[in-house]
Amino acid sequence: MPDSSDTHIGARIAEQRNLAHLTQRGLADRAHVSYSLLSKVESGHRPASPAFVAACARALGIESSVLIGQPFTAEQREDRFDAPIAAIRASLENWDIPLDPVTPPRPLHEIAADVKVLGELRRSAQYVKTAEKAPALIDELVEASHRHEGRQGERVHRLLAYTYRCVHDVVYGLGHIDLGSTVLARMSYSAERSGDPYMVMLTAYLRAQSCFNTGRHEVGFRLMERSLADVEDGVRRGDRSALCVQGNLRLRAAMLAARIRPAGKSQEDSARAQWQEAWETAERLGGDTQNYVMSFGPSNTRIHEVSLEVELGNYGRAVKAAERTHLPDEFCALYPDRVSHHYVDVSRAQLWMGDRQGALSSLLKARAAAPLKTRYHPQARETVMALRRADRSTSGTLANYARWLGI
């Protein structure tokens, strides 16, 4: 397959379809997608949605990342990710062997302070700094896990599980799907030893995210159902951590339900019901809540309302939902990664509605919020390619944006 940033997803679908000796009609039937839409996507006249990509990938027996073209190696090399990613891979080799290093692990309160900083870097989508800082922390925490028992041992594994969570966000965001699976395995090992049921649920939440790549959305949805049952006791007690976890699980369940194929009214109803449950949880919290496991509140729920309408193909409703979504300054400062993702979704809806200038404006807002998050977002690239194909007299702003993406 060509390793070109100018290759749109539709061209990759066509190539893989030909390799599988399938006609467009054959792939459309197997993937349960519209033949007309497949034809337009392959020719570059329509951008490919994540749900469409996942359906085609599963029908072709490959991962979505193959069709997306991830990881974007040239851009990652330019942004100096090579060494940090290699160091992360090396740190993941050990999770259960004591090595007795010359320099023993620091006191846990000092390590915990660094883990907190790592979390702040992750939340602000500072991928390079997160990737650079994480490997040494992993090595130190793994060694500490062999030196502490009881409550202190559980604390080490809580810190280690959270560190893995930060790493997962980076490698998954960069498109290193295989590495993300390894991170999840290590996270699961520590979460089960952390004495914290919410860390176990967070692992399930991230595991469900990988189902977006494989197209096994029904598996991810069942994972969310199981975790929702596990968190119910804490929710009944009004525990704020439980409410934050429940809200996020509902939002992920909504997005997974929206992508289950073949799509139908029952899936749409299920997705909307999950979002409504999440909104009721957000109202119960009374505002955006920063939590040690998963933060949650009305702002993130509104963001997902837009995402959900885009996934369901209701682009007009998505644009209207975006118009009534007003993100507080504090939320934007704390969660630029979520803000960036939101504006990428808004741009997709605006593009489908024919508002090309609005789509470009939203992409500029996404870049302003979290540059690296946007640069490696596949849908940002797909939208820019569609904008360029729609207007061959490409404006200077759009041309500069495309060059910044590596197109």
Side-chain angles (χ1 to χ4, degrees), residues 62-85:
I62 58 179
E63 294 184 347
S64 295
S65 54
V66 175
L67 299 180
I68 292 170
Q70 291 178 315
F72 306 122
T73 54
E75 289 75 21
Q76 289 184 34
R77 191 171 300 114
E78 181 180 328
D79 289 330
R80 300 184 178 180
F81 274 111
D82 286 356
I85 292 298

Side-chain angles (χ1 to χ4, degrees), residues 207-317:
R207 178 183 165 194
Q209 186 176 19
S210 69
C211 293
F212 289 118
N213 180 56
T214 60
R216 296 301 305 272
H217 303 116
E218 72 283 3
V219 173
F221 187 80
R222 291 296 177 88
L223 271 173
M224 295 302 89
E225 286 186 320
R226 187 169 69 185
S227 294
L228 283 165
D230 291 341
V231 80
E232 191 57 41
D233 286 344
V235 170
R236 278 196 293 267
R237 294 194 303 269
D239 181 84
R240 293 185 72 80
S241 293
L243 289 168
C244 286
V245 170
Q246 184 197 55
N248 279 287
L249 293 173
R250 290 287 186 196
L251 292 179
R252 179 134 296 172
M255 300 304 293
L256 287 160
R259 291 198 191 181
I260 291 175
R261 294 292 190 208
K265 185 64 176 175
S266 61
Q267 281 83 8
E268 184 170 335
D269 289 345
S270 174
R272 294 190 187 284
Q274 292 292 340
W275 183 88
Q276 185 60 42
E277 292 275 4
W279 179 250
E280 291 172 7
T281 300
E283 290 186 313
R284 186 174 174 185
L285 276 170
D288 295 327
T289 302
Q290 189 173 352
N291 188 263
Y292 80 105
V293 182
M294 287 189 276
S295 301
F296 183 70
S299 296
N300 196 35
T301 309
R302 284 298 186 195
I303 283 174
H304 275 77
E305 181 183 19
V306 177
S307 296
L308 181 59
E309 296 299 346
V310 172
E311 289 300 329
L312 293 171
N314 299 319
Y315 303 108
R317 293 181 65 163

Side-chain angles (χ1 to χ4, degrees), residues 20-21 79 166 195 270 278-279 282 297 316 333 347 382-383 392 394:
H21 304 291
D79 289 330
C166 295
S270 174
W279 179 250
S347 74
E382 193 72 359
T383 300
R392 285 301 178 182
T394 303

